[in-house]
Amino acid sequence: MRTKIKDILLSEKTDYAVNIKGWVRSFRNNQFIALNDGSCMASIQAVIGLDTDEAIVKKITNGACLSIDGVVKASLGKGQKVEVVAEKVTILGECDPEQFPLQLKNRPSLEYLREIAHLRFRTNTFGAVFRVRHTLAYAIHKFFNDRGFVYLHTPIITASDAEGAGEMFRVSTLPADNPPKNEDGSINYTEDFFGRCTNLTVSGQLEAELGAMALSDVYTFGPTFRAENSNTARHLAEFWMIEPEVAFNDIVDNMNLAEDFIKYVIKYAMDNNREDLEFLSQRLAEEEKQKPMNERSEMGLMEKLEFVVNNSFERITYTDAINILLDSPAYKKKKFQYEVKWGIDLQSEHERYLVEKHFKKPVIVTGYPKDIKAFYMRMNDDGKTVAAMDILAPGIGEIVGGSQREERLDMLTRRMEEMHIPTEEMYWYLDTRRFGACPHAGFGLGFERLVLFVSGMTNIRDVIPFPRTPKNAEF
Ligand code: ATP
Ligand code: MN
């Protein structure tokens, strides 16, 4: 039976027989194999006898897959406590070093690795990233489960386009080259698979609200699709979002939940993926060395995570944020590309100024102007702002977008009419306000933005196995 390399390294026991399987990371002096099976960052050293069959030795190349039977022994060499003294080596999969892309490039760049995303799992960096991603996903479910939330699966195909007008991917089985037409020339969707126009979801929130009106505490964690053509280091066309929705919560409860949640999952990763995070921390430190002094971050990755877990997030209103920006040296020296005045949607340069230069910690901004936010956010008493909350994180910008929802039927329908959202089509959403409405609140956290933050990677394409971005759906 196969033993995982992680278990052998962790236990530090010696003098027992094992079988290990994995991929060769290096092979020195025709004797020392570093074998990695992805169970942890570290490879194990396997030592083969000098009398090993030459035909086999020739096939022990970087990237080859081996099965090794042997005995775990205390290691005499530096760098490891135990090693496997091999008794039998079986080649499971050969790997031609003349052709293996990871072998050909010495220190391949992240950009290059994106082009060979099917192989990049084999690198230390991506092994660490995807183990951390897994741990975060697990921690998210654990956080909500421990608090009695119900995990709700909201639909991926949806007919409502309330939120994402113009940014959605259409789902259709109509022939693209010759779709059935109405008399006025428009496409006749009644002949489509669902008998109407459908799209991939941009958010599970509206459906989650329906669940919260009975189960009280629910969350979704699923794929989300946005056809926005924003080719940035923080946007994907397909990403994963976590959306808790809680009956009886107001905006302050919502902020508390989001802050507790983010701290919990970061702490969980720090406790359970220390080796991976330390490696990623070093990687980031090296990347930072390439930057000019004044652009380097003041904290290393581990320090930053520690800091976030141990300090309160700053809480300010949108109006405060605008005033801080107007008072800033950056504004006075005309460093901002976009205009700053009450009413603007905060641009990424503004968000980054607030979190990276001014507060140097995560910031929760509340009370945004109603005109730049969605129809379902609860109107504040001033009639100008809504109970929205965005959480901005250093190096990332917006990581969470949420709000207390408008539970008052008259206010909600008025807002929908003002924003030209069809109230008849959305009867099912409005029914929650007709039949036993209550105050409630929720938020959406972009999973990949969280993984970016925790892993210290800088491009969102490097924290999802196979990124979907404009003009790119390879693999
Ligand atoms: P942004 O202003 O960064 O585009 P948004 O205002 O469109 O974000 P929301 O609609 O509030 O974002 O979505 C909730 C969360 O989902 C965001 O806070 C972010 O973490 C994440 N998110 C949004 N769009 C994307 C995307 N294209 N790729 C990855 N994550 C995203
Ligand atoms: Mn967006």
Side-chain angles (χ1 to χ4, degrees):
M1 206 188 66
R2 168 189 167 222
T3 303
K4 290 206 177 196
I5 289 169
K6 179 183 185 176
D7 296 331
I8 299 173
L9 294 176
L10 271 181
S11 93
E12 295 183 10
K13 264 195 331 184
T14 53
D15 302 305
Y16 61 102
V18 284
N19 170 262
I20 53 174
K21 293 184 171 72
W23 293 266
V24 176
R25 282 293 173 81
S26 70
F27 185 37
R28 283 187 297 119
N29 302 349
N30 271 359
Q31 215 190 344
F32 302 105
I33 304 168
L35 200 74
N36 189 289
D37 66 1
S39 59
C40 60
M41 167 66 60
S43 301
I44 196 163
Q45 173 159 292
V47 191
I48 61 168
L50 292 170
D51 56 347
T52 309
D53 182 352
E54 215 173 290
I56 291 202
V57 176
K58 257 173 62 187
K59 291 179 181 166
I60 303 177
T61 55
N62 281 2
C65 188
L66 310 184
S67 171
I68 299 176
D69 294 295
V71 177
V72 179
K73 292 275 184 195
S75 176
L76 301 174
K78 269 199 216 128
Q80 69 266 331
K81 295 212 167 90
V82 296
E83 64 189 21
V84 172
V85 175
E87 280 162 2
K88 183 172 170 226
V89 177
T90 313
I91 310 287
L92 297 179
E94 295 176 32
C95 181
D96 180 355
E98 307 283 295
Q99 301 208 17
F100 187 41
L102 287 174
Q103 172 71 15
L104 296 175
K105 285 239 168 155
N106 199 8
R107 284 204 139 240
S109 68
L110 294 174
E111 288 76 15
Y112 173 69
L113 289 171
R114 246 170 256 150
E115 290 168 21
I116 52 162
H118 57 304
L119 295 171
R120 66 180 178 170
F121 297 108
R122 304 263 194 107
T123 62
N124 282 337
T125 299
F126 287 93
V129 165
F130 292 117
R131 278 187 298 270
V132 169
R133 182 179 165 111
H134 160 78
T135 300
L136 288 168
Y138 178 75
I140 286 164
H141 286 301
K142 183 164 163 49
F143 174 88
F144 287 119
N145 183 64
D146 289 355
R147 280 161 187 73
F149 281 64
V150 173
Y151 176 26
L152 211 63
H153 296 93
T154 50
I156 289 169
I157 299 174
T158 169
S160 98
D161 74 345
E163 252 202 292
E167 294 195 343
M168 301 182 95
F169 290 100
R170 197 159 68 223
V171 177
S172 173
T173 53
L174 294 177
D177 48 355
N178 186 23
K181 298 270 175 68
N182 296 313
E183 275 173 16
D184 65 1
S186 59
I187 295 175
N188 180 4
Y189 286 109
T190 59
E191 288 191 32
D192 206 346
F193 190 90
F194 297 105
R196 58 197 298 179
C197 182
T198 51
N199 295 289
L200 293 178
T201 187
V202 294
S203 158
Q205 179 205 317
L206 301 188
E207 288 93 349
E209 280 187 59
L210 311 182
M213 291 301 106
L215 299 160
S216 299
D217 305 67
V218 302
Y219 72 105
T220 73
F221 185 170
T224 312
F225 306 86
R226 297 198 183 173
E228 51 195 347
N229 211 343
S230 37
N231 228 327
T232 75
R234 291 169 302 109
H235 287 90
L236 291 163
E238 176 182 292
F239 63 101
W240 289 67
M241 185 143 68
I242 299 100
E243 295 178 280
E245 193 66 38
V246 185
F248 320 117
N249 266 10
D250 64 14
I251 186 76
V252 177
D253 301 321
N254 205 31
M255 286 193 266
N256 293 342
L257 178 67
E259 183 169 344
D260 288 350
F261 168 58
I262 292 174
K263 287 177 170 172
Y264 177 91
V265 297
I266 294 177
K267 175 92 173 29
Y268 196 90
M270 293 176 77
D271 290 346
N272 290 278
N273 286 70
R274 187 151 282 275
E275 195 191 21
D276 291 320
L277 289 175
E278 269 161 10
F279 176 85
L280 291 168
S281 185
Q282 269 174 25
R283 189 209 70 81
L284 183 62
E286 269 164 46
E287 190 182 281
E288 290 269 309
K289 275 191 218 150
Q290 315 295 319
K291 291 189 192 165
M293 272 296 199
N294 62 342
E295 282 175 31
R296 292 184 199 170
S297 54
E298 288 162 31
M299 282 188 222
L301 180 62
M302 294 307 267
E303 273 175 296
K304 180 187 81 175
L305 297 177
E306 201 85 51
F307 181 85
V308 167
V309 167
N310 293 323
N311 288 281
S312 298
F313 294 5
E314 197 68 37
R315 298 183 182 196
I316 61 168
T317 65
Y318 169 88
T319 304
D320 295 337
I322 293 293
N323 289 334
I324 291 167
L325 292 171
L326 288 173
D327 270 343
S328 68
Y331 178 76
K332 289 175 182 154
K333 289 187 204 146
K334 301 198 171 21
K335 288 266 173 69
F336 293 130
Q337 191 189 337
Y338 292 90
E339 187 185 19
V340 181
K341 67 169 196 214
W342 201 93
I344 59 153
D345 204 355
L346 295 180
Q347 298 294 323
S348 138
E349 57 176 355
H350 306 139
E351 297 179 343
R352 298 189 71 155
Y353 178 84
L354 290 169
V355 289
E356 285 159 28
K357 295 269 168 2
H358 191 82
F359 289 112
K360 298 184 199 284
K361 54 151 97 167
V363 177
I364 312 184
V365 184
T366 52
Y368 281 82
K370 67 178 194 317
D371 293 332
I372 58 170
K373 288 291 181 187
F375 73 92
Y376 49 71
M377 298 191 179
R378 195 176 196 278
M379 186 70 70
N380 287 329
D381 291 341
D382 61 12
K384 289 196 310 193
T385 61
V386 288
M389 78 170 203
D390 280 4
I391 302 187
L392 315 177
I396 311 285
E398 180 184 332
I399 190 164
V400 162
S403 65
Q404 185 173 338
R405 319 304 188 190
E406 183 58 83
E407 83 283 13
R408 298 162 294 189
L409 181 63
D410 54 335
M411 300 284 275
L412 183 59
T413 42
R414 195 177 323 145
R415 224 27 222 137
M416 289 172 79
E417 279 156 13
E418 276 170 23
M419 294 171 81
H420 307 291
I421 292 159
T423 47
E424 266 150 56
E425 234 172 81
M426 299 277 290
Y427 74 93
W428 49 271
Y429 183 67
L430 290 170
D431 267 1
T432 54
R433 275 63 170 174
R434 292 192 181 105
F435 308 126
C438 71
H440 61 288
F443 60 84
L445 171 120
F447 185 50
E448 285 74 20
R449 298 220 181 144
L450 174 72
V451 183
L452 266 185
F453 186 73
V454 175
S455 66
M457 300 299 283
T458 39
N459 192 309
I460 199 160
R461 292 166 181 77
D462 296 333
V463 297
I464 188 165
F466 301 105
R468 297 287 176 258
T469 50
K471 302 275 179 286
N472 171 38
E474 186 78 20
F475 313 111

